[in-house]
Amino acid sequence: MKIALDAMGGDFAPFEIVRGAIDAVKAFPNIEVVLVGDEARIRDVLVEFGQENNPQLIIHHASEVIEMNEHPGTAVRKKKDASVIVATRLVKQKVCDAVIAPGSTGAAVAAALFGLGRIKGIDRPMIATPIPTPQGVTVMLDSGANANCKPKHMVQGAIMGSEYARLMFGKENPTVGLLNIGEESTKGNELCLSTYPLLEQLKTIPFKGNVEGRDIPKGTVDVVVCDGFTGNVVLKLAEGLVGVMTQLVKEGIKEGGIMAKLGAFLIYPVFKKIRKRLDHTENGGAPLLGVNGVFLISHGSSKAKEILTAIKIAGELVDRKIIENIQHSIEEEGAIKYDDVD
Amino acid sequence: MKIALDAMGGDFAPFEIVRGAIDAVKAFPNIEVVLVGDEARIRDVLVEFGQENNPQLIIHHASEVIEMNEHPGTAVRKKKDASVIVATRLVKQKVCDAVIAPGSTGAAVAAALFGLGRIKGIDRPMIATPIPTPQGVTVMLDSGANANCKPKHMVQGAIMGSEYARLMFGKENPTVGLLNIGEESTKGNELCLSTYPLLEQLKTIPFKGNVEGRDIPKGTVDVVVCDGFTGNVVLKLAEGLVGVMTQLVKEGIKEGGIMAKLGAFLIYPVFKKIRKRLDHTENGGAPLLGVNGVFLISHGSSKAKEILTAIKIAGELVDRKIIENIQHSIEEEGAIKYDDVD
C-alpha cells in the first residue's frame, strides 16, 4: 500500500505533515508514504527525526505549491508541478493507491478532477463528511465541493454516500435523508423539490424523505444529502457553535472561583466520556467521492495526529475498495430518469 | 397599544396563549390584547383565571383555524375566518397595532402577505431571527420565509435587518455580512456571487463582505443575510446541536455517580451565567419584516412565557416604528441597480 501525501498542504506544512507520516509508518507496517513536495524541506524534517533512511518514507520532489488564496482552476492549470497535482498524478499512474491533500479544498477538488477524472455515471464529485451523533455517525454530503448542485448530483451523492457509510461505518443498508426545511415533500427550495421524487424512485436506496437541520446531530438517518453550499455552512456553523460554547465554559470556570474549578474537575470525566463517544469520526479527513481514485481532503489546520489518522483512513478506503464499490452500486441502480430535470 | 394575538396558534393553544396574554397585560398596563379565535374556548381560559372582565383582554371570535399540515397558500385563500387571518385583518383595519402568530410559519407568512401587503420597495418579506452571541446578538435573515431568494431579496433583507438591529438591539450602524462558504468575493453559489456586488454598492449599509457558518455564533457582524432555506437549516441545526449536547451532558451526569453530581452542582452557576449571557434574545418570536404592519411569528411550541415576551417585543416594534423606519431606510438608500440580475 502506497499513499501519496501532499507534504506542502495546510497551515503546518511540511513539518507537521511529515511528522504525521513518520508516526503512521510506525503504526502501519504495511503502508509506505510518498511525501510529495520540496525535497530539501521534507528531508530536513526526516533528518530531524532520524528517519531519512526509512524505506517506508519516500520523497517525491515537486517544485511548486498552490497557495490558499489562489483560484483553484487557474492554479491547477498553471502549476503543473504543484505538490497536490504531482501527488494526484502518482495515483493516476498507479504508482500510489491514494492521495491525501491537506489545505485548500478548492485546489484539492480541482486537482482530483483534473488528475483522476470521474467514476462512470458520476457527474460531480462530492465531499462526504462523517458527523458524530450519539448513536455513531451520520455521513453528510456534499460538504463543499459544489456550491451549486443539480438534482442529478444529489441523487448520485445519495448512492456514493451510502457506499461510504456501508464500507467505513458498518451500516448494512444505510438510510438516506434529503436535507430540507420541512418534512413534507412539498417543502423546500427548487433543488429539493426536484430532487425528492428522484430519490423516491431509487431502487437500491432506502430513502427516508426530508430531514431538517436538527436531524443531523441527532443522527436520524445514516446519510444526509445536500448541496455543497448548505453542507459547508452546516459544518462551519457546528464547528463555530461548539467552539463558542467551549470558550464560554472555560471563561466561566476561570471566573467562577474555587468552587467552579472543583466542579469542573469533578465533572471532567463526564465530558471526556462524551467527547470519546462523539469521536467516532477520527478527524483525519473527508473523502472526495466520485473521482476515479481514493482522494482524502484533510483540514488546513491538520497536525501530525490528523495526518496519521488520514493515512489510516486512506488505507481503509483502498482496502475496502471504495471506488469499485461505488462503480458497482451505480451500475446496480441502473438507469435513473433524471435527464429531464437537470 | 392594541395587539392582536392568534389565540389558536401553536401546540398549546388556546390555554398557554391566553395565559401568556393574561401575564402580559399585568406586566404592561398600556397594552390591550385582542385574543382572536374560538370565543367559548378562550373565555373558558379567562374564566379559569378570573380574567373574563379584564378590560385589557378582548375576545374577537374567529370560527376557523389553519392546521400545521395545511398548504399555507390554499388555507389562507379558503379559510377567510381563520384566527390568523382575522388577527391580521385587525391590523390592516387599524383596529390593532401588531399581530402575533404562534405556530405554522408558512401560514403566518401567507396570512401576513395576503392581509397586509408589502412595504413599498420590498419584494419579499423575510423572517429576522436574533441569534445570541457572546457579545450580544446577531440578526440573521431570512430564516425561513423564502426557500428561494433572488439577489434583490437579499439586498432588501440587508436594509431591513439593519433597521431591526438598530431599533431593537441598539446597534448604531450595524455591520452586514453575506453568509457564504469562503471569505473571497469569488466564492459561493450563484446567488451569493450575484448578491455580493449589489451589497457592495449600497450607500447606507456598512457591508463587511462574506461571513461563514462559524461567524454566526461568534457574532462577527451585526446582520447576516442569507436565503430562507439556508437560514432555516442554520436555526434548526443550532437548536438540534444544543439539544443533543444538553441531553448527553444530563445523561453523563446521571450515569457519573455522586462525584459527577457534585461537580454538576458546583459548576451549575457557571452554566446559569452563560445561559443568561446568551439570553439577550428573549425567545418570544421573530418579526416578519417587509410586510406593511408589525407581524411577529412565535414558535409553535410557545407557552405562556414566550407569549408574554412576544407581546413585549411586538409592543416595542410598534413603539420604535419599525415599519416607518424600514420605509425610510429604503427611500434613503434610493435606487438600487439590481433589475438586471434578478
Side-chain angles (χ1 to χ4, degrees):
Chain A
M1 173 89 68
K2 256 189 187 154
I3 293 183
L5 176 61
D6 175 7
M8 310 309 284
D11 308 334
F12 305 106
F15 183 80
E16 289 287 336
I17 312 297
V18 174
R19 214 162 64 90
I22 293 170
D23 293 344
V25 297
K26 276 183 204 156
F28 314 114
N30 65 322
I31 289 183
E32 291 173 23
V33 178
V34 178
L35 298 154
V36 183
D38 185 312
E39 189 168 1
R41 292 183 64 195
I42 296 169
R43 190 178 307 280
D44 281 350
V45 185
L46 289 178
V47 168
E48 193 174 334
F49 291 93
Q51 297 290 320
E52 69 275 24
N53 295 319
N54 187 332
Q56 280 177 273
L57 293 166
I58 303 141
I59 302 178
H60 189 109
H61 182 67
S63 61
E64 295 175 293
V65 172
I66 299 180
E67 307 291 344
M68 284 300 283
N69 55 357
E70 288 188 75
H71 185 274
T74 316
V76 163
R77 276 191 300 276
K78 278 192 180 168
K79 293 187 165 175
K80 300 281 185 217
D81 206 39
S83 51
V84 67
I85 303 285
V86 174
T88 308
R89 202 181 295 142
L90 291 174
V91 172
K92 175 71 180 174
Q93 296 166 341
K94 300 201 186 300
V95 176
C96 290
D97 302 290
V99 195
I100 296 171
S104 160
T105 301
V109 173
L113 262 173
F114 179 79
L116 299 171
R118 292 160 301 172
I119 293 174
K120 201 185 157 200
I122 301 294
D123 289 280
R124 294 267 191 99
M126 284 188 168
I127 299 170
T129 303
I131 294 178
T133 71
Q135 300 86 45
V137 169
T138 285
V139 169
M140 183 182 72
L141 77 173
D142 177 20
S143 57
N146 312 286
N148 302 293
C149 281
K150 289 180 177 175
K152 66 175 172 183
H153 306 139
M154 307 280 272
V155 173
Q156 294 163 8
I159 296 172
M160 296 194 292
S162 295
E163 266 325 290
Y164 174 56
R166 189 175 72 80
L167 293 171
M168 295 297 284
F169 302 105
K171 315 259 184 184
E172 229 357 279
N173 201 15
T175 53
V176 173
L178 175 65
L179 184 59
N180 205 331
I181 59 172
E183 283 179 23
E184 304 85 351
S185 64
T186 54
K187 286 276 176 80
N189 59 11
E190 285 162 13
L191 175 63
C192 287
L193 291 174
S194 302
T195 301
Y196 193 101
L198 298 180
L199 290 174
E200 256 188 327
Q201 82 172 284
L202 289 177
K203 296 186 295 283
T204 57
I205 302 283
F207 175 52
K208 294 294 175 190
N210 292 330
V211 295
E212 298 187 79
R214 65 174 79 93
D215 293 302
I216 302 174
K218 279 187 190 165
T220 310
V221 290
D222 297 318
V223 178
V224 171
V225 180
C226 61
D227 67 274
F229 182 88
T230 309
N232 193 271
V233 168
V234 160
L235 273 192
K236 285 176 180 163
L237 173 69
E239 187 191 312
L241 209 54
V242 171
V244 166
M245 290 307 297
T246 310
Q247 183 204 327
L248 286 176
V249 171
K250 278 185 182 164
E251 280 174 23
I253 291 167
K254 222 173 174 178
E255 292 162 9
I258 184 75
M259 285 305 175
K261 283 188 189 71
L262 178 60
F265 175 76
L266 291 174
I267 211 169
Y268 179 71
V270 171
F271 282 92
K272 204 177 155 189
K273 217 166 153 186
I274 292 173
R275 207 171 55 192
K276 205 179 160 191
R277 194 165 155 192
L278 294 182
D279 199 22
H280 311 280
T281 51
E282 302 184 290
N283 200 14
L288 180 69
L289 300 179
V291 290
N292 206 358
V294 173
F295 197 105
L296 202 69
I297 299 176
S298 289
H299 205 284
S301 65
S302 291
K303 294 199 171 182
K305 185 171 168 260
E306 284 76 29
I307 297 301
L308 164 69
T309 311
I311 292 169
K312 175 172 169 276
I313 296 170
E316 287 172 358
L317 286 164
V318 174
D319 271 342
R320 296 173 194 184
K321 301 191 187 308
I322 181 91
I323 307 297
E324 295 79 354
N325 275 290
I326 288 176
Q327 241 156 7
H328 176 255
S329 64
I330 290 278
E331 283 162 19
E332 198 185 39
E333 179 58 41
I336 304 161
K337 292 194 193 97
Y338 45 51
D339 291 334
D340 46 341
V341 292
D342 82 341
Chain B
M1 173 90 68
K2 256 192 186 151
I3 293 182
L5 175 61
D6 175 5
M8 311 309 284
D11 307 335
F12 305 106
F15 184 81
E16 290 287 336
I17 312 297
V18 175
R19 215 161 64 89
I22 294 169
D23 293 345
V25 297
K26 275 183 206 157
F28 314 115
N30 64 322
I31 289 184
E32 291 174 23
V33 179
V34 179
L35 297 155
V36 183
D38 186 312
E39 189 169 1
R41 293 183 65 195
I42 295 170
R43 190 176 309 279
D44 281 350
V45 186
L46 289 178
V47 168
E48 194 174 333
F49 291 94
Q51 298 290 320
E52 67 275 24
N53 295 320
N54 187 331
Q56 280 178 273
L57 293 166
I58 303 141
I59 302 179
H60 189 109
H61 182 67
S63 62
E64 296 175 292
V65 172
I66 298 180
E67 306 290 344
M68 284 299 284
N69 54 358
E70 288 188 76
H71 185 274
T74 316
V76 164
R77 276 191 301 276
K78 279 190 177 168
K79 293 187 165 175
K80 301 281 185 217
D81 205 39
S83 51
V84 67
I85 304 286
V86 174
T88 308
R89 204 182 295 142
L90 291 175
V91 172
K92 176 71 181 174
Q93 296 166 341
K94 302 202 187 296
V95 175
C96 290
D97 302 290
V99 195
I100 296 170
S104 161
T105 301
V109 173
L113 261 173
F114 179 80
L116 299 171
R118 293 159 300 172
I119 293 175
K120 200 185 159 200
I122 301 294
D123 289 279
R124 295 266 192 100
M126 284 188 169
I127 299 169
T129 303
I131 294 179
T133 71
Q135 300 85 45
V137 169
T138 285
V139 169
M140 183 181 73
L141 78 173
D142 177 19
S143 58
N146 311 285
N148 301 294
C149 282
K150 289 181 178 174
K152 66 175 171 183
H153 307 137
M154 307 281 272
V155 173
Q156 294 162 8
I159 296 172
M160 296 193 291
S162 294
E163 261 332 283
Y164 174 56
R166 188 175 73 80
L167 293 170
M168 294 297 283
F169 301 105
K171 314 258 185 185
E172 229 358 277
N173 200 15
T175 53
V176 173
L178 175 65
L179 183 59
N180 205 331
I181 59 172
E183 283 179 24
E184 305 85 350
S185 65
T186 54
K187 284 276 175 78
N189 59 11
E190 285 162 14
L191 175 63
C192 288
L193 292 174
S194 303
T195 300
Y196 193 102
L198 297 181
L199 290 174
E200 257 188 327
Q201 82 173 288
L202 289 177
K203 296 186 293 285
T204 56
I205 302 283
F207 176 51
K208 295 294 175 189
N210 292 330
V211 295
E212 299 188 79
R214 65 174 79 92
D215 293 302
I216 301 174
K218 279 187 192 167
T220 309
V221 290
D222 297 319
V223 178
V224 171
V225 181
C226 61
D227 66 274
F229 182 89
T230 309
N232 193 272
V233 169
V234 160
L235 273 192
K236 286 177 179 162
L237 173 70
E239 187 190 311
L241 209 56
V242 171
V244 166
M245 289 308 296
T246 309
Q247 184 203 329
L248 287 176
V249 171
K250 278 185 182 164
E251 280 174 22
I253 291 166
K254 222 172 173 179
E255 292 162 10
I258 183 76
M259 285 305 176
K261 283 188 189 70
L262 178 60
F265 175 76
L266 291 173
I267 211 170
Y268 180 72
V270 171
F271 282 92
K272 205 177 153 188
K273 216 168 154 184
I274 292 172
R275 206 170 56 192
K276 206 179 160 191
R277 194 167 155 191
L278 293 182
D279 200 21
H280 312 279
T281 51
E282 302 183 290
N283 199 14
L288 181 69
L289 301 179
V291 290
N292 206 358
V294 174
F295 196 106
L296 201 68
I297 299 176
S298 289
H299 205 284
S301 65
S302 291
K303 294 199 171 183
K305 184 172 169 262
E306 284 76 30
I307 296 301
L308 164 69
T309 312
I311 291 169
K312 175 173 170 274
I313 296 171
E316 287 172 357
L317 286 165
V318 174
D319 272 341
R320 296 173 194 183
K321 302 193 187 304
I322 181 91
I323 307 297
E324 295 80 353
N325 274 291
I326 287 177
Q327 242 156 5
H328 176 256
S329 64
I330 291 277
E331 284 162 20
E332 198 185 38
E333 178 58 42
I336 303 161
K337 292 195 192 98
Y338 45 52
D339 291 333
D340 45 341
V341 293
D342 81 343

